Amino acid sequence: MTFNLVAIVYPKEGKLERIKELGKEIAAWVEANEPSTLQYHWSTSKEDDKPVIVIQEIYADEAAFNAHKDSPKFGWLIETAQKEDLFAAPIKILFLEPFTGFAGRN
């Protein structure tokens, strides 16, 4: 069974573009280095008229998720965000339990 989550990132004012740069870098790294990460998709949205980043993540299993969060690149992302003071609030993580629907069509 897959391991699914959505992470919501709250950028500080004026920091959205920098977070998007970091997101592009880590997404490329994840694609190249984490074969058990099945989906790692960053998008922008708004909450209370403020920009947020929504990260949709699907892993082959919980071990793949743990490998991702323990990876040096994820550590680099969090460390960089803290050093550069990019987040207005802690990252919100919603663990998902899919029960119906489909992911795509062939």
Side-chain angles (χ1 to χ4, degrees):
M1 177 178 276
T2 60
F3 193 85
N4 303 262
L5 68 95
V6 172
I8 304 172
V9 177
Y10 301 92
K12 279 197 169 177
E13 188 172 331
K15 303 292 186 173
L16 177 64
E17 292 306 315
R18 176 63 177 141
I19 295 172
K20 288 167 71 173
E21 289 173 12
L22 297 176
K24 289 175 185 177
E25 185 170 337
I26 194 170
W29 188 91
V30 167
E31 185 174 25
N33 294 282
E34 295 183 9
S36 293
T37 299
L38 307 177
Q39 179 179 332
Y40 193 71
H41 189 91
W42 288 52
S43 303
T44 57
S45 187
K46 293 231 182 219
E47 184 175 292
D48 298 326
D49 290 325
K50 293 181 182 176
V52 295
I53 293 175
V54 178
I55 309 165
Q56 299 162 277
E57 304 176 39
I58 300 175
Y59 299 91
D61 51 31
E62 189 171 357
F65 165 70
N66 288 329
H68 170 74
K69 73 178 180 69
D70 295 337
S71 72
K73 196 64 170 181
F74 183 76
W76 163 85
L77 174 68
I78 297 303
E79 183 179 308
T80 301
Q82 289 172 342
K83 270 198 257 183
E84 296 183 22
D85 196 25
L86 300 178
F87 299 155
I91 296 171
K92 183 177 186 178
I93 298 177
L94 303 172
F95 294 100
L96 307 175
E97 295 181 24
F99 64 92
T100 190
F102 62 94
R105 299 181 189 271
N106 289 332

XYZ file of all heavy atoms in Angstrom:
854
model
N 0.842 -1.176 0.000
C 0.000 0.000 0.000
C 0.894 1.249 0.000
O 1.900 1.302 0.693
C -0.924 -0.010 1.215
C -1.755 1.264 1.262
S -2.934 1.363 2.593
C -4.321 0.487 1.970
N 0.512 2.239 -0.764
C 1.306 3.464 -0.844
C 1.156 4.308 0.416
O 0.238 4.132 1.200
C 0.905 4.300 -2.073
O -0.467 4.641 -1.979
C 1.196 3.560 -3.372
N 2.102 5.226 0.587
C 2.129 6.152 1.713
C 1.959 7.542 1.126
O 2.782 7.976 0.317
C 3.470 6.004 2.449
C 3.510 6.665 3.788
C 3.048 6.013 4.912
C 4.022 7.944 3.925
C 3.098 6.616 6.165
C 4.071 8.555 5.160
C 3.614 7.890 6.278
N 0.875 8.231 1.494
C 0.470 9.485 0.845
C 0.415 10.637 1.835
O -0.040 10.462 2.963
C -0.923 9.327 0.235
C -1.010 8.182 -0.745
O -0.923 8.376 -1.941
N -1.177 6.963 -0.241
N 0.822 11.813 1.366
C 0.698 12.993 2.207
C 0.657 14.250 1.364
O 1.023 14.247 0.181
C 1.842 13.081 3.232
C 3.246 13.339 2.701
C 3.588 14.814 2.752
C 4.241 12.565 3.541
N 0.201 15.315 2.002
C 0.252 16.663 1.441
C 0.963 17.520 2.474
O 0.630 17.467 3.662
C -1.161 17.219 1.154
C -1.101 18.680 0.764
C -1.849 16.407 0.078
N 1.960 18.274 2.025
C 2.652 19.223 2.900
C 2.301 20.633 2.431
O 2.290 20.901 1.230
C 4.156 19.003 2.842
N 2.008 21.506 3.387
C 1.680 22.897 3.059
C 2.748 23.789 3.664
O 3.012 23.737 4.870
C 0.281 23.276 3.576
C -0.767 22.305 3.004
C -0.053 24.722 3.207
C -2.151 22.456 3.596
N 3.371 24.575 2.795
C 4.457 25.467 3.189
C 3.928 26.894 3.155
O 3.301 27.309 2.172
C 5.660 25.320 2.229
C 6.764 26.289 2.585
C 6.169 23.877 2.230
N 4.197 27.639 4.209
C 3.738 29.019 4.345
C 4.937 29.961 4.198
O 5.669 30.177 5.166
C 3.062 29.228 5.704
C 1.880 28.316 5.908
C 2.021 27.080 6.531
C 0.617 28.680 5.455
C 0.935 26.235 6.712
C -0.477 27.843 5.630
C -0.306 26.624 6.257
O -1.383 25.781 6.414
N 5.155 30.523 3.008
C 6.310 31.397 2.803
C 6.146 32.741 3.527
O 5.038 33.271 3.620
C 6.330 31.643 1.292
C 5.375 30.677 0.696
C 4.400 30.313 1.772
N 7.258 33.268 3.999
C 7.236 34.645 4.495
C 7.053 35.566 3.298
O 7.380 35.211 2.156
C 8.547 34.978 5.203
C 8.589 34.475 6.618
C 9.666 35.158 7.399
C 9.485 34.820 8.875
N 10.552 35.400 9.675
N 6.547 36.753 3.561
C 6.338 37.730 2.495
C 7.655 37.961 1.754
O 8.713 38.149 2.356
C 5.828 39.042 3.079
C 5.404 40.032 2.010
C 4.718 41.266 2.578
O 4.088 41.167 3.652
O 4.824 42.314 1.924
N 7.569 37.900 0.421
C 8.731 38.134 -0.422
C 9.643 36.928 -0.591
O 10.667 37.024 -1.269
N 9.294 35.786 -0.013
C 10.168 34.603 -0.049
C 9.651 33.489 -0.960
O 10.294 32.460 -1.108
C 10.361 34.040 1.362
C 10.919 35.034 2.358
C 12.345 35.411 2.041
C 12.918 36.297 3.148
N 14.330 36.540 2.966
N 8.503 33.694 -1.592
C 7.910 32.637 -2.416
C 8.847 32.177 -3.525
O 9.049 30.980 -3.720
C 6.572 33.102 -3.012
C 5.884 32.112 -3.955
C 5.493 30.840 -3.221
C 4.665 32.758 -4.601
N 9.430 33.107 -4.255
C 10.281 32.729 -5.390
C 11.504 31.937 -4.943
O 11.921 30.997 -5.612
C 10.683 33.957 -6.202
C 9.524 34.601 -6.945
C 8.751 33.632 -7.832
O 9.389 32.844 -8.568
O 7.505 33.653 -7.785
N 12.074 32.302 -3.804
C 13.228 31.553 -3.296
C 12.824 30.136 -2.928
O 13.551 29.174 -3.231
C 13.843 32.279 -2.094
C 14.992 31.539 -1.446
C 16.170 31.375 -2.394
N 17.278 30.728 -1.707
C 18.068 29.820 -2.258
N 17.912 29.474 -3.532
N 19.051 29.285 -1.570
N 11.679 29.972 -2.294
C 11.218 28.629 -1.951
C 10.943 27.820 -3.214
O 11.255 26.627 -3.284
C 9.982 28.685 -1.025
C 10.360 29.320 0.317
C 9.399 27.287 -0.808
C 9.181 29.590 1.228
N 10.400 28.453 -4.238
C 10.173 27.752 -5.509
C 11.497 27.293 -6.120
O 11.583 26.184 -6.657
C 9.395 28.644 -6.477
C 7.925 28.798 -6.071
C 7.208 29.896 -6.819
C 6.945 29.586 -8.250
N 6.097 30.622 -8.905
N 12.536 28.115 -6.024
C 13.873 27.713 -6.516
C 14.356 26.462 -5.780
O 14.849 25.521 -6.413
C 14.890 28.830 -6.302
C 14.725 30.034 -7.185
C 15.682 31.156 -6.784
O 16.622 30.927 -5.977
O 15.484 32.285 -7.271
N 14.238 26.483 -4.466
C 14.664 25.331 -3.673
C 13.820 24.107 -4.009
O 14.342 22.989 -4.089
C 14.559 25.650 -2.184
C 15.439 26.783 -1.658
C 15.146 27.050 -0.190
C 16.913 26.478 -1.864
N 12.519 24.313 -4.211
C 11.629 23.207 -4.575
C 12.033 22.556 -5.882
O 12.041 21.328 -6.004
N 12.388 23.372 -6.867
C 12.828 22.814 -8.159
C 14.088 21.979 -7.990
O 14.227 20.911 -8.596
C 13.048 23.934 -9.168
C 11.758 24.581 -9.622
C 12.018 25.775 -10.522
C 10.715 26.484 -10.855
N 10.929 27.688 -11.666
N 14.993 22.462 -7.146
C 16.242 21.725 -6.939
C 16.000 20.398 -6.236
O 16.513 19.363 -6.656
C 17.236 22.577 -6.147
C 18.578 21.901 -6.010
C 19.664 22.790 -5.456
O 19.571 24.026 -5.552
O 20.640 22.225 -4.917
N 15.212 20.415 -5.163
C 14.994 19.151 -4.451
C 14.131 18.199 -5.273
O 14.352 16.990 -5.251
C 14.425 19.353 -3.025
C 14.555 18.031 -2.244
C 13.014 19.868 -3.039
C 14.273 18.123 -0.771
N 13.179 18.715 -6.036
C 12.342 17.831 -6.863
C 13.196 17.097 -7.895
O 12.999 15.896 -8.124
C 11.232 18.629 -7.543
N 14.140 17.794 -8.500
C 15.037 17.143 -9.468
C 15.880 16.081 -8.773
O 16.088 14.983 -9.309
C 15.915 18.179 -10.147
N 16.356 16.383 -7.563
C 17.161 15.426 -6.809
C 16.336 14.198 -6.444
O 16.798 13.068 -6.599
C 17.730 16.092 -5.555
C 18.722 15.236 -4.843
C 20.066 15.204 -5.030
C 18.435 14.261 -3.829
N 20.633 14.275 -4.200
C 19.655 13.679 -3.449
C 17.271 13.828 -3.208
C 19.749 12.687 -2.479
C 17.352 12.836 -2.241
C 18.584 12.280 -1.886
N 15.116 14.414 -5.973
C 14.239 13.300 -5.595
C 13.972 12.412 -6.810
O 14.057 11.185 -6.726
C 12.918 13.815 -4.972
C 11.882 12.703 -4.862
C 13.191 14.438 -3.608
N 13.679 13.026 -7.939
C 13.407 12.238 -9.148
C 14.608 11.375 -9.531
O 14.460 10.221 -9.928
C 13.019 13.149 -10.305
C 12.611 12.386 -11.546
C 12.090 13.280 -12.656
O 12.450 14.475 -12.699
O 11.334 12.758 -13.484
N 15.810 11.910 -9.382
C 17.025 11.191 -9.777
C 17.489 10.163 -8.742
O 18.163 9.196 -9.109
C 18.151 12.196 -10.027
N 17.123 10.346 -7.476
C 17.732 9.548 -6.415
C 16.776 8.726 -5.557
O 17.240 7.933 -4.737
C 18.531 10.464 -5.482
C 19.716 11.068 -6.173
O 20.735 10.409 -6.356
N 19.590 12.324 -6.583
N 15.476 8.923 -5.707
C 14.518 8.212 -4.863
C 13.502 7.460 -5.728
O 12.380 7.922 -5.939
C 13.786 9.196 -3.931
C 14.683 9.863 -2.917
C 13.922 10.773 -1.967
O 12.672 10.793 -1.963
O 14.599 11.494 -1.207
N 13.879 6.286 -6.225
C 12.972 5.557 -7.123
C 11.662 5.126 -6.465
O 10.672 4.887 -7.162
C 13.794 4.343 -7.575
C 14.866 4.202 -6.548
C 15.139 5.581 -6.026
N 11.623 5.053 -5.144
C 10.387 4.661 -4.458
C 9.502 5.852 -4.115
O 8.460 5.692 -3.481
C 10.713 3.855 -3.193
O 11.301 2.616 -3.564
N 9.924 7.056 -4.516
C 9.040 8.215 -4.436
C 8.265 8.240 -5.744
O 8.831 8.481 -6.808
C 9.845 9.521 -4.239
O 10.576 9.423 -3.019
C 8.918 10.726 -4.179
N 6.990 7.959 -5.678
C 6.168 7.793 -6.872
C 5.625 9.116 -7.395
O 5.379 9.262 -8.589
C 5.019 6.829 -6.571
C 5.440 5.477 -5.975
C 4.204 4.644 -5.650
C 6.384 4.742 -6.910
N 5.406 10.067 -6.500
C 4.943 11.403 -6.898
C 5.524 12.409 -5.917
O 5.511 12.198 -4.704
C 3.419 11.496 -6.870
C 2.892 12.865 -7.246
C 1.369 12.929 -7.241
O 0.696 11.943 -7.468
N 0.840 14.089 -6.972
N 6.018 13.516 -6.467
C 6.573 14.601 -5.654
C 6.313 15.869 -6.441
O 7.098 16.255 -7.289
C 8.072 14.352 -5.426
C 8.697 15.212 -4.358
C 8.397 15.016 -3.023
C 9.606 16.196 -4.694
C 8.982 15.789 -2.041
C 10.195 16.978 -3.720
C 9.887 16.762 -2.395
O 10.470 17.531 -1.421
N 5.162 16.473 -6.185
C 4.651 17.545 -7.039
C 4.430 18.810 -6.225
O 3.646 18.804 -5.272
C 3.332 17.072 -7.683
C 2.825 17.967 -8.733
N 3.152 17.820 -10.047
C 2.020 19.043 -8.661
C 2.545 18.771 -10.747
N 1.874 19.532 -9.924
N 5.124 19.886 -6.590
C 4.995 21.176 -5.907
C 4.071 22.085 -6.707
O 4.229 22.219 -7.924
C 6.361 21.846 -5.790
C 7.310 21.226 -4.812
C 7.675 19.909 -4.731
C 8.038 21.900 -3.788
N 8.575 19.736 -3.727
C 8.822 20.949 -3.132
C 8.103 23.223 -3.378
C 9.663 21.263 -2.074
C 8.951 23.549 -2.329
C 9.715 22.572 -1.680
N 3.137 22.738 -6.020
C 2.207 23.684 -6.645
C 2.053 24.901 -5.738
O 2.321 24.832 -4.538
C 0.821 23.052 -6.820
O 0.881 21.875 -7.580
N 1.586 25.995 -6.316
C 1.247 27.159 -5.505
C -0.268 27.282 -5.411
O -1.000 26.825 -6.285
C 1.824 28.464 -6.096
O 1.347 28.620 -7.434
C 3.332 28.460 -6.084
N -0.701 27.887 -4.320
C -2.115 28.160 -4.104
C -2.196 29.394 -3.204
O -1.190 30.066 -2.974
C -2.795 26.952 -3.452
O -4.195 27.148 -3.388
N -3.387 29.670 -2.727
C -3.584 30.789 -1.799
C -4.417 30.309 -0.613
O -5.305 29.478 -0.767
C -4.317 31.939 -2.482
C -3.496 32.584 -3.572
C -3.456 34.058 -3.388
C -2.660 34.654 -4.529
N -1.837 35.729 -4.102
N -4.102 30.850 0.542
C -4.889 30.611 1.746
C -5.012 31.960 2.445
O -3.985 32.591 2.738
C -4.189 29.596 2.646
C -4.985 29.212 3.863
C -4.309 28.121 4.670
O -4.216 26.982 4.174
O -3.868 28.427 5.781
N -6.222 32.411 2.661
C -6.455 33.741 3.247
C -5.729 34.832 2.444
O -5.098 35.726 3.014
C -6.019 33.783 4.715
C -6.811 32.822 5.574
O -8.004 32.622 5.277
O -6.243 32.263 6.529
N -5.785 34.711 1.120
C -5.161 35.661 0.193
C -3.637 35.735 0.301
O -3.017 36.692 -0.178
C -5.759 37.063 0.331
C -7.185 37.120 -0.194
O -7.468 36.404 -1.179
O -8.001 37.860 0.376
N -3.016 34.748 0.928
C -1.554 34.690 1.014
C -1.083 33.458 0.257
O -1.746 32.411 0.277
C -1.105 34.620 2.471
C -1.415 35.885 3.238
C -0.927 35.789 4.659
C -1.298 37.061 5.408
N -0.941 36.992 6.801
N 0.073 33.549 -0.394
C 0.557 32.388 -1.145
C 0.977 31.253 -0.218
O 1.516 31.488 0.867
C 1.753 32.935 -1.916
C 2.215 34.120 -1.146
C 0.987 34.689 -0.495
N 0.684 30.047 -0.654
C 1.165 28.837 0.007
C 1.702 27.909 -1.075
O 1.351 28.024 -2.247
C 0.069 28.120 0.830
C -0.394 28.982 1.986
C -1.079 27.667 -0.027
N 2.548 27.002 -0.658
C 3.026 25.944 -1.548
C 2.460 24.637 -1.033
O 2.531 24.346 0.168
C 4.560 25.910 -1.589
C 5.068 27.184 -2.260
C 5.055 24.665 -2.328
C 6.563 27.341 -2.260
N 1.871 23.873 -1.946
C 1.292 22.573 -1.615
C 2.146 21.511 -2.297
O 2.355 21.562 -3.510
C -0.176 22.487 -2.080
C -0.755 21.113 -1.769
C -1.010 23.592 -1.452
N 2.648 20.577 -1.496
C 3.489 19.500 -2.026
C 2.720 18.193 -1.878
O 2.392 17.783 -0.761
C 4.834 19.424 -1.277
C 5.504 20.797 -1.237
C 5.746 18.386 -1.944
C 6.636 20.903 -0.243
N 2.416 17.570 -3.010
C 1.707 16.294 -3.029
C 2.763 15.200 -3.148
O 3.565 15.204 -4.087
C 0.753 16.231 -4.203
C -0.313 17.310 -4.158
C -0.961 17.501 -5.505
O -0.428 18.205 -6.355
N -2.102 16.869 -5.698
N 2.754 14.278 -2.193
C 3.781 13.245 -2.157
C 3.150 11.861 -2.043
O 2.257 11.657 -1.225
C 4.715 13.472 -0.959
C 5.348 14.860 -0.967
C 6.196 15.142 0.260
O 6.905 14.226 0.737
O 6.165 16.293 0.739
N 3.623 10.942 -2.877
C 3.205 9.548 -2.787
C 4.461 8.694 -2.816
O 5.310 8.839 -3.711
C 2.261 9.136 -3.932
C 0.998 9.999 -3.923
C 1.899 7.652 -3.821
C 0.052 9.732 -5.092
N 4.572 7.822 -1.829
C 5.719 6.926 -1.700
C 5.251 5.484 -1.834
O 4.099 5.168 -1.518
C 6.394 7.130 -0.339
C 6.900 8.544 -0.164
C 6.091 9.524 0.404
C 8.151 8.917 -0.607
C 6.534 10.827 0.545
C 8.607 10.226 -0.473
C 7.791 11.173 0.093
O 8.225 12.462 0.219
N 6.143 4.618 -2.272
C 5.792 3.209 -2.429
C 5.353 2.603 -1.095
O 4.473 1.749 -1.060
C 6.967 2.433 -3.006
N 5.954 3.074 0.003
C 5.615 2.580 1.334
C 6.192 3.536 2.376
O 6.858 4.520 2.027
C 6.129 1.149 1.543
C 7.603 0.992 1.200
O 8.382 1.968 1.365
O 7.993 -0.108 0.769
N 5.954 3.246 3.631
C 6.427 4.127 4.700
C 7.954 4.190 4.747
O 8.537 5.225 5.061
C 5.861 3.686 6.049
C 6.136 4.686 7.151
C 5.408 4.389 8.449
O 4.625 3.426 8.503
O 5.634 5.148 9.409
N 8.615 3.091 4.409
C 10.083 3.080 4.391
C 10.617 4.077 3.359
O 11.623 4.757 3.608
C 10.599 1.673 4.086
N 9.948 4.202 2.225
C 10.365 5.171 1.205
C 10.183 6.594 1.718
O 11.035 7.465 1.474
C 9.573 4.956 -0.083
N 9.093 6.845 2.440
C 8.894 8.158 3.047
C 9.994 8.454 4.058
O 10.571 9.547 4.063
C 7.518 8.232 3.727
C 7.375 9.395 4.671
C 7.299 10.694 4.190
C 7.342 9.198 6.037
C 7.184 11.783 5.057
C 7.220 10.270 6.914
C 7.147 11.565 6.420
N 10.310 7.485 4.905
C 11.360 7.686 5.897
C 12.709 7.938 5.234
O 13.483 8.778 5.697
C 11.435 6.496 6.852
C 10.251 6.457 7.798
O 9.699 7.493 8.164
N 9.834 5.264 8.192
N 12.986 7.237 4.138
C 14.236 7.469 3.411
C 14.283 8.893 2.870
O 15.330 9.549 2.890
C 14.379 6.455 2.274
N 13.143 9.394 2.399
C 13.084 10.765 1.892
C 13.346 11.769 3.011
O 14.199 12.640 2.893
C 11.726 11.046 1.241
C 11.512 12.483 0.924
N 12.157 13.114 -0.124
C 10.743 13.438 1.525
C 11.796 14.384 -0.142
N 10.940 14.607 0.842
N 12.620 11.657 4.110
C 12.758 12.660 5.175
C 14.117 12.574 5.871
O 14.557 13.557 6.464
C 11.602 12.599 6.170
C 11.574 11.448 7.107
C 10.384 11.562 8.052
C 10.314 10.421 9.012
N 11.360 10.403 10.008
N 14.795 11.421 5.771
C 16.122 11.265 6.365
C 17.247 11.533 5.371
O 18.424 11.424 5.729
C 16.274 9.852 6.945
C 15.330 9.598 8.117
O 14.894 10.581 8.757
O 15.026 8.419 8.383
N 16.886 11.882 4.130
C 17.913 12.092 3.095
C 18.701 13.375 3.353
O 18.181 14.334 3.933
C 17.270 12.151 1.705
O 16.564 13.372 1.542
N 19.949 13.416 2.896
C 20.732 14.642 3.067
C 20.128 15.832 2.312
O 20.235 16.968 2.769
C 22.112 14.275 2.518
C 21.947 13.011 1.769
C 20.704 12.339 2.275
N 19.466 15.580 1.205
C 18.889 16.689 0.437
C 17.694 17.300 1.163
O 17.526 18.525 1.149
C 18.478 16.217 -0.964
C 18.229 17.347 -1.923
C 19.510 18.150 -2.170
C 19.356 19.132 -3.306
N 20.587 19.872 -3.561
N 16.871 16.484 1.812
C 15.766 17.033 2.597
C 16.319 17.834 3.777
O 15.838 18.925 4.080
C 14.823 15.927 3.078
C 13.637 16.453 3.820
C 12.579 17.040 3.136
C 13.571 16.385 5.200
C 11.476 17.547 3.819
C 12.477 16.887 5.900
C 11.432 17.464 5.199
N 17.350 17.298 4.421
C 18.002 18.035 5.501
C 18.536 19.372 5.016
O 18.402 20.400 5.695
N 19.130 19.374 3.821
C 19.639 20.612 3.209
C 18.496 21.612 3.000
O 18.651 22.800 3.284
C 20.312 20.284 1.881
C 20.498 21.459 0.999
C 21.544 22.353 1.028
C 19.626 21.914 -0.040
N 21.358 23.329 0.075
C 20.191 23.077 -0.594
C 18.411 21.454 -0.552
C 19.580 23.780 -1.637
C 17.823 22.143 -1.584
C 18.407 23.289 -2.110
N 17.351 21.133 2.512
C 16.213 22.019 2.268
C 15.757 22.695 3.565
O 15.597 23.919 3.613
C 15.047 21.240 1.647
C 13.742 22.011 1.479
C 13.889 23.102 0.430
C 12.606 21.070 1.127
N 15.575 21.913 4.602
C 15.098 22.465 5.873
C 16.141 23.419 6.464
O 15.806 24.515 6.924
C 14.740 21.332 6.857
C 13.589 20.479 6.298
C 14.409 21.897 8.231
C 12.320 21.249 5.979
N 17.399 23.021 6.429
C 18.472 23.873 6.956
C 18.556 25.196 6.201
O 18.676 26.268 6.803
C 19.805 23.131 6.879
C 20.962 23.897 7.461
C 22.253 23.102 7.380
O 22.271 21.936 7.819
O 23.243 23.659 6.864
N 18.471 25.136 4.888
C 18.524 26.351 4.066
C 17.339 27.257 4.373
O 17.495 28.471 4.527
C 18.556 25.987 2.570
O 19.708 25.176 2.319
C 18.605 27.225 1.694
N 16.159 26.684 4.467
C 14.954 27.473 4.766
C 15.068 28.151 6.131
O 14.660 29.306 6.289
C 13.719 26.585 4.707
N 15.636 27.446 7.099
C 15.800 28.039 8.436
C 16.849 29.152 8.403
O 16.624 30.229 8.966
C 16.167 26.962 9.446
C 15.008 26.034 9.748
C 15.403 24.850 10.603
O 16.569 24.497 10.723
N 14.404 24.213 11.209
N 17.979 28.895 7.754
C 19.046 29.901 7.685
C 18.578 31.173 7.005
O 18.923 32.274 7.407
C 20.254 29.347 6.919
C 21.263 28.641 7.775
C 22.577 28.520 7.050
C 22.731 27.110 6.534
N 24.009 26.866 5.868
N 17.779 30.994 5.931
C 17.312 32.141 5.155
C 15.986 32.692 5.670
O 15.447 33.634 5.088
C 17.212 31.755 3.678
C 18.559 31.398 3.079
C 18.498 31.070 1.598
O 17.546 31.498 0.904
O 19.413 30.373 1.112
N 15.455 32.100 6.731
C 14.213 32.549 7.366
C 13.073 32.665 6.340
O 12.457 33.716 6.180
C 14.442 33.890 8.070
C 13.347 34.229 9.058
O 12.684 33.301 9.575
O 13.124 35.434 9.303
N 12.794 31.547 5.661
C 11.845 31.555 4.547
C 10.400 31.274 4.947
O 9.485 31.646 4.210
C 12.277 30.520 3.502
C 13.657 30.727 2.886
C 13.972 29.591 1.914
C 13.759 32.075 2.200
N 10.170 30.612 6.078
C 8.832 30.161 6.426
C 8.155 31.102 7.421
O 8.748 31.497 8.419
C 8.855 28.761 7.033
C 9.410 27.686 6.131
C 9.953 26.541 6.666
C 9.368 27.810 4.753
C 10.451 25.533 5.853
C 9.868 26.813 3.926
C 10.419 25.671 4.477
N 6.882 31.406 7.154
C 6.089 32.233 8.064
C 5.492 31.399 9.197
O 5.115 31.937 10.233
C 4.970 32.936 7.296
N 5.396 30.084 8.986
C 4.808 29.167 9.968
C 5.406 27.788 9.717
O 5.961 27.539 8.643
C 3.288 29.131 9.810
N 5.277 26.887 10.680
C 5.766 25.526 10.455
C 5.057 24.865 9.271
O 3.895 25.169 8.980
C 5.419 24.801 11.763
C 5.276 25.875 12.781
C 4.741 27.072 12.033
N 5.756 23.968 8.614
C 5.153 23.191 7.532
C 4.030 22.342 8.115
O 4.191 21.701 9.152
C 6.207 22.292 6.850
C 7.285 23.145 6.187
C 5.541 21.355 5.843
C 8.470 22.353 5.669
N 2.893 22.352 7.459
C 1.748 21.540 7.884
C 1.730 20.269 7.039
O 1.753 20.342 5.807
C 0.446 22.319 7.692
C -0.784 21.596 8.170
C -2.002 22.492 8.004
C -3.232 21.889 8.597
N -4.381 22.803 8.467
N 1.692 19.129 7.687
C 1.683 17.851 6.969
C 0.369 17.138 7.251
O -0.013 16.958 8.411
C 2.876 16.976 7.361
C 4.178 17.689 6.990
C 2.792 15.612 6.679
C 5.427 16.964 7.385
N -0.298 16.751 6.175
C -1.544 15.984 6.266
C -1.273 14.597 5.689
O -1.020 14.456 4.493
C -2.660 16.668 5.476
C -2.980 18.109 5.859
C -3.961 18.710 4.867
C -3.542 18.164 7.269
N -1.285 13.580 6.540
C -1.130 12.209 6.071
C -2.480 11.744 5.547
O -3.508 11.953 6.192
C -0.616 11.311 7.198
C 0.777 11.668 7.617
C 1.003 12.431 8.749
C 1.873 11.270 6.863
C 2.286 12.782 9.132
C 3.157 11.623 7.231
C 3.373 12.378 8.374
N -2.487 11.156 4.374
C -3.729 10.809 3.680
C -3.952 9.300 3.676
O -3.006 8.527 3.562
C -3.672 11.324 2.241
C -3.330 12.803 2.061
C -3.200 13.129 0.585
C -4.361 13.681 2.735
N -5.212 8.918 3.755
C -5.614 7.525 3.628
C -6.625 7.428 2.488
O -7.835 7.547 2.704
C -6.219 7.022 4.936
C -5.217 6.988 6.074
C -5.807 6.455 7.364
O -6.814 5.699 7.316
O -5.266 6.792 8.421
N -6.127 7.255 1.257
C -7.043 7.183 0.113
C -8.034 6.031 0.275
O -7.694 4.969 0.781
C -6.112 6.914 -1.071
C -4.759 7.332 -0.608
C -4.737 7.099 0.866
N -9.266 6.291 -0.146
C -10.273 5.233 -0.054
C -11.042 5.031 -1.354
O -11.721 4.025 -1.508
C -11.240 5.485 1.115
C -12.071 6.728 0.976
C -13.320 6.690 0.384
C -11.576 7.943 1.434
C -14.079 7.829 0.248
C -12.334 9.093 1.316
C -13.589 9.050 0.724
N -10.931 5.975 -2.310
C -11.584 5.776 -3.603
C -11.012 6.779 -4.599
O -10.343 7.742 -4.212
C -13.110 5.914 -3.513
O -13.696 5.485 -4.755
C -13.535 7.328 -3.224
N -11.254 6.547 -5.857
C -10.806 7.441 -6.915
C -9.752 6.772 -7.787
O -9.510 5.585 -7.684
N -9.141 7.578 -8.667
C -8.104 7.033 -9.543
C -7.055 8.111 -9.793
O -7.304 9.294 -9.623
C -8.705 6.521 -10.869
C -9.367 7.581 -11.694
C -8.657 8.230 -12.694
C -10.696 7.937 -11.478
C -9.275 9.224 -13.461
C -11.306 8.907 -12.235
C -10.596 9.554 -13.230
N -5.869 7.671 -10.205
C -4.738 8.572 -10.381
C -4.564 9.006 -11.833
O -3.945 10.016 -12.093
C -3.458 7.922 -9.883
N -5.047 8.253 -12.764
C -4.864 8.624 -14.162
C -5.501 7.594 -15.082
O -6.055 6.595 -14.649
N -5.400 7.885 -16.339
C -5.942 6.974 -17.359
C -4.831 6.618 -18.329
O -3.951 7.422 -18.611
C -7.072 7.647 -18.118
C -8.244 8.030 -17.249
C -9.339 8.668 -18.111
N -10.382 9.231 -17.312
C -11.450 8.571 -16.896
N -11.620 7.307 -17.200
N -12.383 9.176 -16.182
N -4.910 5.412 -18.866
C -3.923 4.983 -19.878
C -4.370 5.353 -21.253
O -5.452 5.478 -21.607
C -3.676 3.479 -19.779
C -2.910 3.140 -18.519
O -2.150 3.964 -18.010
N -3.110 1.954 -18.011
